[in-house]
Amino acid sequence: MPGSVDTNFLFTLGEVFRLIRVYADKEAARYGITRAQWAVLTKVERNEGLKQTELAEQLDIQPITLTRLIDKLCDNGWIERRGDENDRRVNRLYLKKAAHPLLGKLAGLRSELTATALEGISPADAHRLLTQLESIKENVRNAIQSPASESSRKEQRYG
């Protein structure tokens, strides 16, 4: 790849993310669902009883946008809202039984998408890439939490 890491890293990472989103949207449509709805279903599956506000924060979307997504998922019979027994203002989200067959199909689709994205990359390199991406995520998370002057003084460690 021509150019330096400094010149290409963020652009390439953003472009990979954009292309994967487009591809996932296209393929999810086979099951009559959007990528955003898929993300909601997956998060609820992993953490049933999650508050709508917590889910909006985790997905980094506006609460009103999430409300519309959940409305659609409720209309399709895949998710249900239940009130919180300690706070009437809070809705908690739970999967309905009808969601499980769809989630099984979507798990297969996730595997297909991953296999396509990693085609030609060895399993060892794929694991290494995942580990490196987790390190990058942690570096950025730490930079967000540290004072601005502290992060600007760090020496570059890449080629």
Side-chain angles (χ1 to χ4, degrees), residues 71-126:
D71 287 346
K72 181 73 171 167
L73 294 168
C74 287
D75 291 346
N76 288 333
W78 294 323
I79 283 185
E80 66 179 328
R81 291 179 176 103
R82 294 183 199 161
D84 184 287
E85 52 190 53
N86 298 319
D87 187 345
R88 293 182 318 158
R89 299 167 296 174
V90 172
N91 281 316
R92 294 192 177 270
L93 303 170
Y94 295 88
L95 289 181
K96 294 184 88 174
K97 287 183 183 180
H100 293 286
L102 175 62
L103 283 163
K105 292 174 186 175
L106 292 172
L109 179 56
R110 182 196 65 237
S111 294
E112 288 176 36
L113 296 172
T114 301
T116 299
L118 295 175
E119 187 174 331
I121 297 174
S122 74
D125 284 345

Side-chain angles (χ1 to χ4, degrees), residues 17 24-25 47 58 63-64 73 77 87 136:
F17 182 62
D25 272 326
N47 195 4
Q58 286 182 18
I64 189 67
L73 294 168
D87 187 345
I136 291 167

Side-chain angles (χ1 to χ4, degrees), residues 130-144:
L130 185 57
T131 299
Q132 291 167 338
L133 288 171
E134 288 293 336
S135 294
I136 291 167
K137 182 172 75 174
E138 191 61 28
N139 290 344
V140 174
R141 181 178 286 130
N142 290 338
I144 290 168

Side-chain angles (χ1 to χ4, degrees), residues 7 10 16 37 42 84 107 113 118 124 141 148 158-159:
T7 303
L10 294 175
V16 167
Q37 291 169 341
T42 300
D84 184 287
L113 296 172
L118 295 175
R141 181 178 286 130
Y158 51 83

